[in-house]
Amino acid sequence: MTWPQDPRRVADPFGERAPLALRRSFDVLGARVEFLSDSAALMALAEAAYRDLPAEGSPQVQVQVELRMAAGDAAFDGEPPRPQMLGGAGVVGAAVDAHNHVLVMPALRRALVQLSPALLAHGYHARYELIEFAVFQLAARSQGLVALHAGAVSAGGSGALLMGVSGAGKSTLALHAALQGLEVVTEDGSFVDPTGLALSGVANFLHLRFDALGWIGDPALRARVLASPVIRRRSGVQKYELDLRGGWARLASRPVRLAHLVFTSAELRADGALLEPLPRDTLLARLHEDQAYAMGQPGWARFVHACGDLPGWVLHRGSHPQAGAAALRRLLMG
């Protein structure tokens, strides 16, 4: 084994005692998340994700995320590589390359995120795929929550999961639900207590395709969307990253009771008949098909059992996204 020759590294070959002078805490998904960092640029990514969220009340657990700047670097030829998942010995994580990775230790309620300047130049990928990954894993695993790839909206303390394939218009639907007075719980990362079905998420951004502008009539909102940063998904699709914070949209400030399972469909229907009820066996089959990732989580069986008593629906596409939003509003508000 070749040891580091730099005298500054000999006494601390892994760089684990490098000072982390920056410190910020945010309440996210029922957890008090403390970020420590040696880089103002890395801390700014955490602040972009979690600043100004609605106050959640007393956190249930405390977790810690270290954000460290890598000593080395390597340029990317265009988009950075897709992170590769890894896990074992009580650790889960993801690695982009030797300089960029995240390691999560749920039993210790701690995570390490290391980023290089090259990846920092791709701020969306750095924040979404590594920093938010660490927070979601810590919050879910430390509290026994089931993590779902689903959006959610709520009213009066009752929530509806919004599931469906990518491109089905869930984000545009959530936007128009917000315009009709519903609370946004989350765009695409829902977390559910499998026993009590308390539903929570992070309502920070909506990612809207460019054609979503055609459904927005309000000039002020159009201007807000057009002024938003543009991000590029791994699929190659570009979207506006619309910040939900700032008081213009209603955001859920507490976990809500999961009351409805809604699967979005691209099939056009008359506006008055957009919601189609699902029989119980069909509902559970759709749930397993749609949430393949979640099936391996410890609380999945309890979650599915509890969902057996919930109504399930297919929400078909209407003449305008506001028609689907109105259907959701009637569903949640009776």
Side-chain angles (χ1 to χ4, degrees):
M1 179 175 181
T2 301
W3 293 93
Q5 297 304 307
D6 186 340
R8 296 170 297 178
R9 299 283 290 176
V10 171
D12 185 18
F14 302 105
E16 59 191 314
R17 292 191 291 276
L20 299 172
L22 303 177
R23 187 180 301 255
R24 286 291 309 272
S25 293
F26 302 95
D27 290 347
V28 183
L29 295 171
R32 173 68 52 82
V33 184
E34 181 183 40
F35 289 96
L36 294 87
S37 185
D38 57 1
S39 164
L42 295 184
M43 188 64 82
L45 291 179
E47 292 173 344
Y50 302 117
R51 60 169 173 75
D52 299 330
L53 291 172
E56 293 188 358
S58 301
Q60 301 300 306
V61 298
Q62 295 193 20
V63 300
Q64 189 177 87
V65 179
E66 293 187 10
L67 305 175
R68 293 181 178 269
M69 186 67 76
D73 201 6
F76 299 119
D77 183 15
E79 185 178 69
R82 185 186 299 271
Q84 300 299 306
M85 299 298 106
L86 55 91
V91 177
V92 295
V96 174
D97 58 19
H99 307 289
N100 300 280
H101 54 259
V102 52
L103 298 173
V104 182
M105 297 147 282
L108 300 179
R109 297 183 178 176
R110 299 183 69 181
L112 167 66
V113 180
Q114 179 175 284
L115 296 173
S116 70
L119 188 59
L120 190 59
H122 299 267
Y124 167 72
H125 291 292
R127 188 195 77 226
Y128 183 75
E129 296 179 339
L130 297 183
I131 295 177
E132 294 190 34
F133 172 88
V135 172
F136 287 164
Q137 291 293 328
L138 283 176
R141 291 172 181 256
S142 63
Q143 298 176 88
L145 305 177
V146 174
L148 304 169
H149 181 59
V153 295
S154 67
S158 296
L161 277 180
L162 304 178
M163 294 171 280
V165 298
S166 179
K170 296 187 296 296
S171 296
T172 302
L173 178 63
L175 173 63
H176 285 274
L179 294 178
Q180 296 196 28
L182 298 185
E183 295 177 333
V184 179
V185 178
T186 181
E187 179 186 47
D188 63 2
S190 293
F191 296 81
V192 183
D193 176 356
T195 302
L197 293 185
L199 165 65
S200 56
V202 179
N204 48 9
F205 300 107
L206 287 179
H207 295 91
L208 303 171
R209 297 173 66 104
F210 292 169
D211 57 12
L213 280 172
W215 303 111
I216 300 174
D218 178 55
L221 181 56
R222 284 181 60 87
R224 184 184 292 273
V225 174
L226 286 169
S228 300
V230 173
I231 60 93
R232 186 177 185 272
R233 293 287 204 190
R234 289 288 182 179
S235 63
V237 174
Q238 291 184 305
K239 296 187 176 186
Y240 294 110
E241 187 170 65
L242 176 63
D243 199 326
L244 289 166
R245 295 159 292 184
W248 69 271
R250 298 186 64 182
L251 310 180
S253 60
R254 297 286 191 278
V256 299
R257 176 180 57 85
L258 177 57
H260 297 275
L261 304 174
V262 179
F263 298 87
T264 57
S265 168
E267 181 185 349
L268 285 169
R269 287 282 184 91
D271 288 355
L274 296 183
L275 281 169
E276 176 186 347
L278 283 172
R280 184 179 186 277
D281 56 345
T282 304
L283 167 64
L284 297 182
R286 287 285 295 269
L287 189 61
H288 280 84
E289 179 183 356
D290 190 85
Q291 299 295 323
Y293 160 78
M295 291 172 59
Q297 299 178 47
W300 175 255
R302 285 181 290 139
F303 169 70
V304 170
H305 178 75
C307 285
D309 296 326
L310 296 181
W313 310 86
V314 174
L315 178 59
H316 297 283
R317 190 184 297 270
S319 61
H320 191 287
Q322 66 188 13
L328 284 176
R329 187 175 187 274
R330 290 191 297 270
L331 189 66
L332 287 167
M333 303 184 71

